């Protein structure tokens, strides 16, 4: 359990709370959670009951109609279509989705996924040269390409027309492609602004099928709902906000994923220990996606693509075991690199006054730099950069940020020292020359410091409101399911319970505690507290910040709360 949390509460609009309870028929804690997310009684209903029928018209996303027309023309002309993806779960699922839908409708497609070590990130001139060894006339990117001006020119010089689908931040000028589809561009509906790469590919597939059906070209045999397992997998893995259309696609996609109709998904769930279970968003984030990501992190993402495309169970289980082995190797490599990074911080006398962290080494594996950066950012609660000097004598790596600091804006301010950078507000990649390293460390520190305040030093617990243990009843847990899927921008609801006492405190493993809590309502509930031993608890009574949840164990489902933080009762929060 992390010490030193800042407890953040917002003022409660009691009238809104009453309206949410009466008009939606939800319990008070659920109304608190909806209020915390900014919903009114009018907008909350759509959030609680998303429907695929309410998805936006795919043609409302600029570029999709033109791209769909070109794809049908390619099918009619028997042209070869090259799909250029990316090596993470988002890029892999987007590639499998688009290639499968096009192939099912008569297209001749081939997928190229760059090798992380040999080819590097994204659409590049080198990847074009490598991928276009055979006769293609149309190139479609997924999850990459929005800033790849030189690569698009290279493709066009080879006689390829280019369709770009991406979800990363665009530059001021766009590549000279036939169609550019990116929800970050002007004109895109607000409900699709935060789509993952696989979500953008889904919108293109939707546009492709709609155009085909409306104009008698085909598409009737394809049920796009059957591909929502891929959309859920890639969307959750890419840590995009689970709101608007992302929420709807993931909500329904988790249902498809739980049915495990795809041989590769069935095998992947088996090695991840999810057989027969209802799959939830955290299962993707912590059990499925790391395995799908692992081959791409270690080098060859095509192993994961082959798993998702597998037609038979024998091939699927063999591929799943390969992914599981790759994930174990990744875990070991990640720990070794994290240890080296921590050792470097100790040697450099890390100071709490630093606003940022930059660590660097030689030949650190590119596949784990982002994970290590995320670990450092989480542990030290400040933006962290992890760089590796590779065989080309250049530094490349990853940066991860913390809430409130847009890392793209920071990198833009030091762009004169970088060869390349790009990504999202919370995560990005970058490369630079060794001669610029020290200047970059100093400039990055100054740039972050301009955004950094004391408020950033403490991790925050955003509390929906004060609740009693008695309110976490059967109705609450039944309605809590309506808030799922939980993830980025839709976290599990967190509450403050005042003046509680433990019925018992028992060790759970070596470093955790389990037991039961009781408050002034005299109602009790089981609890788990991670990272805190029984002897570390202060004398009761306490004010506790808790996360109510259902504990699934040995076929049983019991309500419990996870204690996130606690203080002696009556201490002012903040």
């Amino acid at each position: 359990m992390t010490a030193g949390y800042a407890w953040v509460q917002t003022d409660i609009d009691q009238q809104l709370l009453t309206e949410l309870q009466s008009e939606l028929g939800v319990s008070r804690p659920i109304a608190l959670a909806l209020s915390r997310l900014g919903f009114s009684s009018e907008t909350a209903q759509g959030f609680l009951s998303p429907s695929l029928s309410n998805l936006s018209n795919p043609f409302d996303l600029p570029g999709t109609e033109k791209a769909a027309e070109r794809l049908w023309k390619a099918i009619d002309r028997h042209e070869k279509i090259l799909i250029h993806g990316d090596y993470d779960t988002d890029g892999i699922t987007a590639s499998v989705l688009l290639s499968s839908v096009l192939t099912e409708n008569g297209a001749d497609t081939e997928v190229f996924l760059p090798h992380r070590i040999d080819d590097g990130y994204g659409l590049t001139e080198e990847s074009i040269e490598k991928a276009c060894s055979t006769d293609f006339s149309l190139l479609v990117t997924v999850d990459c390409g929005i800033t790849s001006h030189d690569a698009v020119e290279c493709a066009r010089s080879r006689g390829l027309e280019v369709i770009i689908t991406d979800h990363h931040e665009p530059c001021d000028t766009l590549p000279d492609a036939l169609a550019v589809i990116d929800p970050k561009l002007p004109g895109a509906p607000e409900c699709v602004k935060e789509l993952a790469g696989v979500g953008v590919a889904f919108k293109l597939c939707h546009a492709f099928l709609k155009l085909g059906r409306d104009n008698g070209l085909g598409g009737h045999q394809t049920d796009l709902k059957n591909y929502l397992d891929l959309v859920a997998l890639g969307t959750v893995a890419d840590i995009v906000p689970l709101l608007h259309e992302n929420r709807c696609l993931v909500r329904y996609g988790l249902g498809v994923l739980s049915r495990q109709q795809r041989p590769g998904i069935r095998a992947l769930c088996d090695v991840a220990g999810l057989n027969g279970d209802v799959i939830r968003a955290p299962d993707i984030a912590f059990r499925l996606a790391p395995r799908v990501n692992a081959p791409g992190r270690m080098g060859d993402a095509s192993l994961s693509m082959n798993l998702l495309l597998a037609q038979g169970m024998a091939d699927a289980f063999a591929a799943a075991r390969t992914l599981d082995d790759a994930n174990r190797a990744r875990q070991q490599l990640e720990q070794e690199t994290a240890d080296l990074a921590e050792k470097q911080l100790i040697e450099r006398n890390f100071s709490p006054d630093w606003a940022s962290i930059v660590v660097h080494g030689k030949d650190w594996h590119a596949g784990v730099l982002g994970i290590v950066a995320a670990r450092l950012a989480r542990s030290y609660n400040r933006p962290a950069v992890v760089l590796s000097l590779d065989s080309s004598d250049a530094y490349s790596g990853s940066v991860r940020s913390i809430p409130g600091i847009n890392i793209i804006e920071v990198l833009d301010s030091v762009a004169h020292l970088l060869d390349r950078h790009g990504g999202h507000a919370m995560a990005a990649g970058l490369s630079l020359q060794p001669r610029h390293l020290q200047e970059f460390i100093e400039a990055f520190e100054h740039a972050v410091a301009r955004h950094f305040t004391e408020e950033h030093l403490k991790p925050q617990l955003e509390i929906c409101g004060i609740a009693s243990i008695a309110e976490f009843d059967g109705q609450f847990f039944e309605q809590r399911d309506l808030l799922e899927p939980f993830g980025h921008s839709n976290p599990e609801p967190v509450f403050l319970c005042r003046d509680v006492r433990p019925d018992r405190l028992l060790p759970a493993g070596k470093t955790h505690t389990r037991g039961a809590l009781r408050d002034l309502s005299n109602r009790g509930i089981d609890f788990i507290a991670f990272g805190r031993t029984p002897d570390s608890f202060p004398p009761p009574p306490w004010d506790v910040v808790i996360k109510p949840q259902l504990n699934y164990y040995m076929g049983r489902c019991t309500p419990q709360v996870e204690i996130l933080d606690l203080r002696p009762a009556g201490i002012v929060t903040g």
Side-chain angles (χ1 to χ4, degrees):
M1 184 185 298
T2 302
Y5 280 111
W7 295 7
V8 180
Q9 298 184 73
T10 54
D11 293 334
I12 304 297
D13 183 334
Q14 294 297 334
Q15 182 178 347
L16 172 61
L17 209 60
T18 301
E19 289 177 358
L20 289 168
Q21 288 179 256
S22 61
E23 296 186 23
L24 300 177
V26 297
S27 67
R28 182 177 165 278
I30 297 297
L32 283 169
L34 291 170
S35 174
R36 179 70 183 82
L37 291 169
F39 289 108
S40 65
S41 56
E42 291 78 20
T43 58
Q45 188 60 59
F47 175 81
L48 294 174
S49 304
S51 172
L52 292 173
S53 63
N54 291 331
L55 292 177
S56 63
N57 187 326
F59 297 147
D60 290 344
L61 181 57
T64 53
E65 187 166 10
K66 189 172 186 179
E69 290 172 350
R70 183 64 183 87
L71 289 169
W72 279 112
K73 186 178 293 185
I75 292 172
D76 182 60
R77 295 175 174 177
H78 304 288
E79 298 176 61
K80 292 191 68 174
I81 303 171
L82 174 65
I83 298 171
H84 188 300
D86 194 18
Y87 45 60
D88 65 0
T89 300
D90 187 23
I92 295 165
T93 52
S95 300
V96 172
L97 167 63
L98 183 59
S99 64
S100 297
V101 170
L102 293 179
T103 300
E104 188 176 355
N105 287 276
D108 183 1
T109 68
E110 187 172 312
V111 175
F112 175 81
L113 299 178
H115 189 285
R116 181 186 287 266
I117 308 302
D118 297 341
D119 304 316
Y121 168 76
L123 181 71
T124 64
E125 293 177 76
E126 291 76 17
S127 66
I128 294 293
E129 296 291 342
K130 183 175 181 179
C132 295
S133 56
T134 51
D135 188 24
F136 296 98
S137 57
L138 180 61
L139 166 66
V140 186
T141 75
V142 291
D143 195 31
C144 63
I146 193 64
T147 61
S148 302
H149 297 78
D150 293 342
V152 170
E153 286 305 312
C154 177
R156 294 179 69 243
S157 71
R158 298 179 66 100
L160 279 78
E161 288 189 288
V162 181
I163 295 170
I164 292 174
T165 78
D166 202 349
H167 71 121
H168 295 97
E169 293 288 345
C171 297
D172 293 336
T173 58
L174 298 178
D176 188 13
L178 173 72
V180 179
I181 306 169
D182 189 325
K184 299 289 195 302
L185 290 170
E190 194 64 32
C191 58
V192 302
K193 289 284 188 184
E194 300 295 340
L195 287 176
V198 69
V200 180
F202 177 87
K203 299 301 285 190
L204 175 56
C205 289
H206 190 183
F208 169 77
L209 295 174
K210 179 175 173 58
L211 186 78
R213 293 167 182 172
D214 290 349
N215 292 276
L217 301 172
H220 295 282
Q221 73 271 32
T222 301
D223 186 349
L224 207 49
K225 291 193 292 291
N226 292 334
Y227 293 95
L228 287 175
D229 54 346
L230 298 174
V231 180
L233 184 57
T235 298
V236 174
D238 218 49
I239 320 178
V240 293
L242 294 187
L243 299 172
H244 307 300
E245 293 206 2
N246 280 338
R247 172 176 170 78
C248 182
L249 294 171
V250 171
R251 179 87 166 261
Y252 284 90
L254 286 169
V256 180
L257 200 60
S258 296
R259 292 195 288 274
Q260 300 181 25
Q261 297 169 325
R262 196 180 300 273
I265 294 296
R266 169 86 178 276
L268 182 64
C269 289
D270 185 77
V271 299
L274 290 172
N275 263 343
D277 295 338
V278 173
I279 296 173
R280 302 179 186 275
D283 296 321
I284 293 177
F286 299 112
R287 300 170 80 170
L288 300 182
R291 289 172 168 84
V292 177
N293 267 331
R297 291 192 181 280
M298 304 305 288
D300 187 4
S302 65
L303 298 172
S304 298
M305 180 177 69
N306 293 340
L307 168 79
L308 296 176
L309 289 171
Q311 296 298 306
M313 291 309 304
D315 289 342
F317 274 105
R321 286 190 290 270
T322 299
L323 265 63
D324 200 43
D325 291 342
N327 191 48
R328 295 180 196 279
R330 186 271 306 168
Q331 289 171 328
Q332 181 177 346
L333 199 57
E334 174 192 334
Q335 188 59 53
E336 292 171 356
T337 307
D339 290 343
L340 290 171
E342 293 282 1
K343 180 182 178 183
Q344 187 175 128
L345 289 175
I346 293 172
E347 292 172 347
R348 289 167 52 196
N349 297 314
F350 169 77
S351 169
D353 293 333
W354 295 1
S356 66
I357 288 173
V358 180
V359 292
H360 52 91
K362 181 175 172 58
D363 294 329
W364 289 357
H365 197 287
V368 299
L369 301 182
I371 307 177
V372 174
R375 286 176 60 163
L376 293 173
R378 188 166 54 249
S379 296
Y380 291 89
N381 212 52
R382 61 205 68 211
V385 180
V386 181
L387 298 168
S388 177
L389 186 65
D390 57 29
S391 57
S392 66
D393 200 32
Y395 280 105
S396 60
S398 295
V399 54
R400 297 294 183 268
S401 193
I402 59 174
I405 297 181
N406 186 322
I407 209 61
I408 291 298
E409 293 179 0
V410 172
L411 292 178
D412 285 345
S413 70
V414 298
H416 60 287
L417 299 172
L418 304 176
D419 294 340
R420 187 181 182 196
H421 72 282
H424 309 290
M426 293 290 289
L430 69 162
S431 62
L432 68 153
Q433 296 302 309
R435 66 182 181 275
H436 292 145
L437 177 62
Q438 190 56 43
E439 188 178 357
F440 166 74
I441 293 174
E442 295 170 3
F444 185 78
E445 169 71 13
H446 292 314
V448 172
R450 287 197 293 270
H451 300 269
F452 204 73
T453 67
E454 284 194 18
E455 292 181 358
H456 291 114
L457 289 172
K458 278 189 175 183
Q460 295 185 344
L461 285 175
E462 297 188 354
I463 298 169
C464 295
I466 300 172
S468 69
I469 290 176
E471 291 180 289
F472 303 128
D473 55 12
Q475 181 192 28
F476 166 80
F477 282 104
E478 183 178 324
Q479 294 176 346
R480 180 183 177 276
D481 286 347
L482 297 176
L483 301 177
E484 294 197 41
F486 298 120
H488 181 6
S489 297
N490 182 35
E492 294 182 63
V494 170
F495 301 94
L496 173 61
C497 292
R498 292 197 180 279
D499 214 14
V500 304
R501 296 175 180 270
D503 274 355
R504 59 185 181 277
L505 292 174
L506 301 171
K510 294 182 178 180
T511 59
H512 316 305
T513 301
R514 62 184 175 88
L517 294 177
R518 193 173 299 276
D519 65 7
L520 295 178
S521 71
N522 205 32
R523 293 289 294 272
I525 193 168
D526 291 344
F527 79 85
I528 183 74
F530 295 110
R532 186 188 285 273
T533 55
D535 60 359
S536 68
F537 282 75
W542 312 314
D543 292 341
V544 295
V545 178
I546 54 93
K547 183 166 61 177
Q549 54 194 208
L550 292 174
N551 180 32
Y552 297 91
Y553 182 70
M554 300 289 288
R556 296 178 58 205
C557 174
T558 55
Q560 71 173 22
V561 297
E562 179 185 344
I563 297 180
L564 303 177
D565 200 14
L566 61 83
R567 297 172 181 170
I571 292 182
V572 177
T573 62

